[in-house]
Amino acid sequence: MRILVADLDSTMLEDTARALSDDFVVDVATSKLNCLAMLDVSEYHVVVAAERLNDGSGLELLSQAGKRWPDVLRVLAVEPDRVHLLAGRLKPFKLFETIPYPFDIEKLRNVLLLAQAAEDAHVDT
């Protein structure tokens, strides 16, 4: 399964990609513009975006990805204290999951394994 992970922190991206590389093909980007360009040329199963990117909002990226590539599962990483502020507003984005930020690798891995199982079962997510 191919994953695209977006965050403004390049060090965290490198660590995340390295930690997940045994189980998934992981590409990383620090901006919406780069992510959208990568989505244009490669097929991804899941896009994981932190709330903040170098050029704007991760949620905006996930919204655009959902419109242009509706089959790509979308995961938003949000700081725990902000989840409560966003909770009621996230439903229209049809996210697969929301996870804590900074990335908890085991939680992220579990969400990706769940996404992989859904993909393998061809479940409409």
Side-chain angles (χ1 to χ4, degrees):
M1 188 160 75
R2 192 165 188 175
I3 314 300
L4 176 57
V5 182
D7 186 13
L8 60 83
D9 184 339
S10 59
T11 302
M12 187 179 302
L13 281 175
E14 291 172 19
D15 293 345
T16 301
R18 193 175 310 109
L20 297 173
S21 66
D22 287 342
D23 300 311
F24 307 100
V25 176
V26 182
D27 293 326
V28 298
T30 59
S31 72
K32 292 185 308 185
L33 187 61
N34 285 346
C35 286
L36 294 172
M38 293 168 79
L39 284 160
D40 270 336
V41 298
S42 298
E43 182 179 334
Y44 291 94
H45 300 94
V46 180
V47 176
V48 179
E51 190 177 4
R52 293 178 188 95
L53 303 176
N54 282 339
D55 58 355
S57 163
L59 191 54
E60 185 179 323
L61 164 66
L62 295 176
S63 175
Q64 290 179 20
K67 290 174 186 169
R68 293 175 62 187
W69 302 277
D71 293 337
V72 174
L73 299 179
R74 296 166 308 280
V75 176
L76 177 65
V78 182
E79 294 173 4
D81 59 331
R82 298 225 355 112
V83 140
H84 302 293
L85 297 172
L86 296 173
R89 298 177 184 162
L90 294 177
K91 192 166 253 176
F93 294 96
K94 298 179 182 175
L95 300 174
F96 181 73
E97 190 65 73
T98 303
I99 60 171
Y101 182 87
F103 298 122
D104 176 322
I105 296 300
E106 286 312 307
K107 285 185 182 182
L108 179 54
R109 185 186 319 278
N110 288 337
V111 166
L112 294 175
L113 290 171
L114 182 62
Q116 188 170 40
E119 175 113 349
D120 290 347
H122 302 302
V123 173
D124 182 18
T125 54

